[in-house]
């Protein structure tokens, strides 16, 4: 395996593999190359490391990392391994990676003694900004750090006013913004893959990374009956939607199967309206929109997805579906805005970032060829 991946908690590796491969929809074959976060128990590598989530074991340090999802735009990007300790810091480095565009550093360093005592680990991962300030940390002794809230803001007294009661341990701060954390951390283990990423990163950096980082995104949608982004955990899917989900897993054409077809969904929708179950209505509208789009009935699909978003305007899956519909209609600029809105609503959905990359790619191809290009079938 050539590469290692740590990403949004709860996200599947399959979706994040798609995100990486979609950087430019190039025709280069990178092969099977992603493994789970923390796949090695010790940063020294070697055999016997623990496995994570059933993925293969990593024994060598990555040659680089892709970091995304932070609202600190300068921290996002591609980090290459360097073999010299960054100047201007007092850390003892085990591994170091540099973001060549912004100068940020991602490194595994020796942890302070009190941190070692509290975590049981001799090292920690650190993001260091261009002012040589430690900004975020993650437990070390593993080659592939996690993502999201497995990182935390650094608050230490070694570069501030003395506070004997605090020592140098990491402390919480009420003003910390979790959106500043790195929500995507993807380790690159192969030199060839790293070169491929570098070759295509210019496009990604300028066109897409700003959106993933939370910059210049459309405003949050308002209105409806609620601002939830997904049904509650205890919500029971309407029978047609549940049947569709199970049918998709079995490889069925769920839009033509009795029980999950449009007619079944519309019948269930009437019942949901009568009972006032808003999430049942929204999920049924979304299912109808998907089926209408797949049947190329774009006007009907548009009406259905608008109905879902009319109830819950921040329904992330419906926002994503709206973007797919606009892509099918060859309306690339509108699709980009739809996916950016979805990304603003829920940046923990890696599939949205993948579709955003795809929309940018199709728009650029259409402009360069002088004609619109039909999106590939899904």
């Amino acid at each position: 395996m050539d590469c290692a991946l740590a990403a949004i908690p709860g996200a599947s590796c399959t979706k994040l593999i798609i995100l990486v491969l979609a950087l430019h929809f190039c025709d280069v074959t990178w092969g099977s190359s992603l493994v789970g976060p923390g796949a090695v128990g010790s940063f020294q590598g070697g055999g016997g490391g623990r496995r994570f989530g059933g993925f293969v074991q990593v024994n060598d340090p990555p040659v680089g990392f892709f970091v995304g999802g932070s609202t600190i735009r300068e921290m996002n990007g591609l980090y290459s391994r360097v073999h010299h300790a960054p100047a201007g810091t007092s850390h003892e480095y085990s591994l170091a990676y540099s973001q060549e565009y912004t100068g940020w550093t991602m490194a595994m360093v020796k942890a302070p003694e009190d941190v070692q005592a509290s975590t049981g680990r001799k090292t920690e991962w650190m993001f260091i900004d261009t002012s040589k300030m430690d900004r975020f940390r993650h437990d070390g002794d593993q080659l592939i750090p996690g993502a999201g809230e497995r990182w935390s803001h650094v608050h230490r007294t070694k570069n501030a006013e003395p506070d004997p009661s605090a020592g140098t341990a990491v402390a919480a701060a009420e003003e910390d913004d979790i959106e500043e954390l790195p929500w995507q951390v993807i380790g690159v283990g192969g030199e060839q893959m790293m070169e491929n990423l570098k070759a295509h990163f210019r496009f990604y950096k300028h066109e897409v990374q700003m959106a993933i980082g939370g910059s210049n995104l459309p405003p949050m949608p308002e209105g409806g009956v609620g601002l939830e982004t997904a049904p509650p955990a205890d919500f029971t899917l309407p029978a047609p939607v549940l049947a569709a989900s199970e049918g998709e897993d079995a490889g069925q054409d769920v839009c033509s199967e009795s029980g999950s077809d449009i007619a079944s969904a519309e019948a269930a929708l009437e019942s949901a309206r009568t009972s006032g179950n808003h999430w049942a209505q929204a999920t049924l509208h979304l299912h109808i929109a998907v089926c209408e789009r797949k049947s190329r009935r774009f006007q009907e699909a548009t009406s259905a997805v608008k109905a879902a978003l009319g109830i819950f305007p921040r329904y992330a899956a419906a926002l994503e579906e709206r973007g797919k519909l606009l892509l099918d209609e060859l309306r690339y600029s509108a699709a980009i805005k739809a996916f950016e809105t979805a990304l603003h609503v829920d940046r923990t959905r890696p599939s949205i970032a993948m579709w955003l990359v795809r929309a940018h790619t199709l728009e650029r191809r259409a402009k360069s060829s002088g004609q619109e290009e039909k999106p590939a079938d899904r």
Side-chain angles (χ1 to χ4, degrees):
M1 293 296 181
D2 295 332
C3 188
L5 177 149
I8 302 145
S12 71
C13 272
T14 300
K15 290 182 179 178
L16 286 157
I17 289 170
I18 292 172
L19 170 61
V20 179
L21 296 181
L23 286 179
H24 191 240
F25 278 84
C26 58
D27 294 326
V28 177
T29 300
W30 290 342
S32 177
S33 56
L34 302 183
V35 300
V40 170
S42 170
F43 72 90
Q44 296 175 342
R50 68 182 178 88
R51 292 179 178 269
F52 180 93
F55 304 116
V56 300
Q57 181 174 296
V58 179
N59 293 322
D60 299 312
V63 299
F65 284 93
F66 171 77
V67 175
S70 171
T71 54
I72 302 176
R73 191 174 68 184
E74 294 78 12
M75 186 171 74
N76 297 323
L78 196 62
Y79 287 72
S80 301
R81 188 176 178 186
V82 294
H83 296 280
H84 58 275
T89 68
S90 59
H91 290 301
E92 295 182 33
Y93 290 86
S94 297
L95 295 169
Y97 300 84
S98 176
Q99 216 278 38
E100 58 184 287
Y101 288 103
T102 67
W104 275 60
T105 297
M106 177 181 177
M108 184 191 291
V109 302
K110 181 179 179 180
E113 290 184 2
D114 49 356
V115 173
Q116 292 187 38
S118 64
T119 66
R121 304 194 183 198
K122 296 181 179 179
T123 64
E124 60 184 348
W125 281 95
M126 196 75 65
F127 275 104
I128 304 168
D129 67 18
T130 54
S131 300
K132 310 303 179 184
M133 296 294 295
D134 298 342
R135 298 293 297 276
F136 304 96
R137 57 89 55 196
H138 183 292
D139 288 346
D141 292 2
Q142 59 186 39
L143 292 176
I144 313 300
E149 293 182 87
R150 294 177 66 180
W151 289 84
S152 59
H153 290 71
V154 172
H155 304 282
R156 288 179 177 158
T157 59
K158 66 176 183 179
N159 294 321
E161 293 298 322
D163 182 358
S165 65
T168 57
V170 176
E174 292 182 0
E175 68 273 15
D176 288 346
D177 183 357
I178 65 170
E179 292 199 359
E180 293 181 342
L181 301 176
W183 289 95
Q184 297 165 350
V185 178
I186 303 173
V188 184
E191 293 287 355
Q192 184 58 53
M193 178 179 279
M194 193 68 182
E195 292 305 313
N196 289 338
L197 286 169
K198 286 182 178 179
H200 296 286
F201 192 72
R202 183 181 301 274
F203 163 75
Y204 181 79
K205 176 179 181 290
H206 291 292
E207 304 268 4
V208 179
Q209 188 190 3
M210 288 179 62
I212 292 179
S215 300
N216 300 325
L217 294 178
M220 284 283 200
E222 301 291 344
V225 301
L227 298 178
E228 295 90 338
T229 62
D234 60 352
F235 173 69
T236 300
L237 289 172
V241 180
L242 181 59
S245 177
E246 294 172 348
E248 286 176 353
D249 292 340
Q252 300 173 357
D253 179 7
V254 298
C255 294
S256 61
E257 292 285 335
S258 177
S260 61
D261 58 3
I262 293 176
S264 299
E266 289 178 338
L269 184 56
E270 287 302 318
S271 176
R273 287 180 178 135
T274 301
S275 66
N277 188 327
H278 293 119
W279 270 115
Q281 294 175 53
T283 55
L284 286 162
H285 279 305
L286 176 57
H287 175 58
I288 292 170
V290 171
C291 290
E292 296 286 18
R293 173 176 59 83
K294 289 181 176 179
S295 297
R296 314 294 292 177
R297 294 190 290 267
F298 296 146
Q299 185 174 351
E300 291 83 354
T302 299
S303 297
V305 78
K306 282 185 176 180
L309 292 172
I311 302 170
F312 294 103
R314 298 185 187 179
Y315 186 8
L319 288 166
E320 183 176 343
E321 176 59 27
R322 183 174 67 177
K324 294 178 185 179
L325 172 60
L326 290 165
L327 276 186
D328 275 359
E329 293 180 308
L330 310 182
R331 298 169 59 190
Y332 302 129
S333 296
I336 289 170
K337 183 177 180 180
F339 290 129
E340 287 179 341
T341 302
L343 199 61
H344 196 181
V345 165
D346 185 0
R347 286 189 289 120
T348 67
R349 289 177 66 88
S351 57
I352 296 177
M354 181 273 289
W355 282 108
L356 179 59
V357 174
R358 185 170 191 170
H360 272 292
T361 302
L362 290 169
E363 181 186 50
R364 193 175 74 157
R365 286 179 179 174
K367 289 179 179 179
S368 63
S369 66
Q371 59 184 3
E372 294 180 324
E373 182 174 339
K374 181 180 177 181
D377 291 336
R378 283 168 297 284

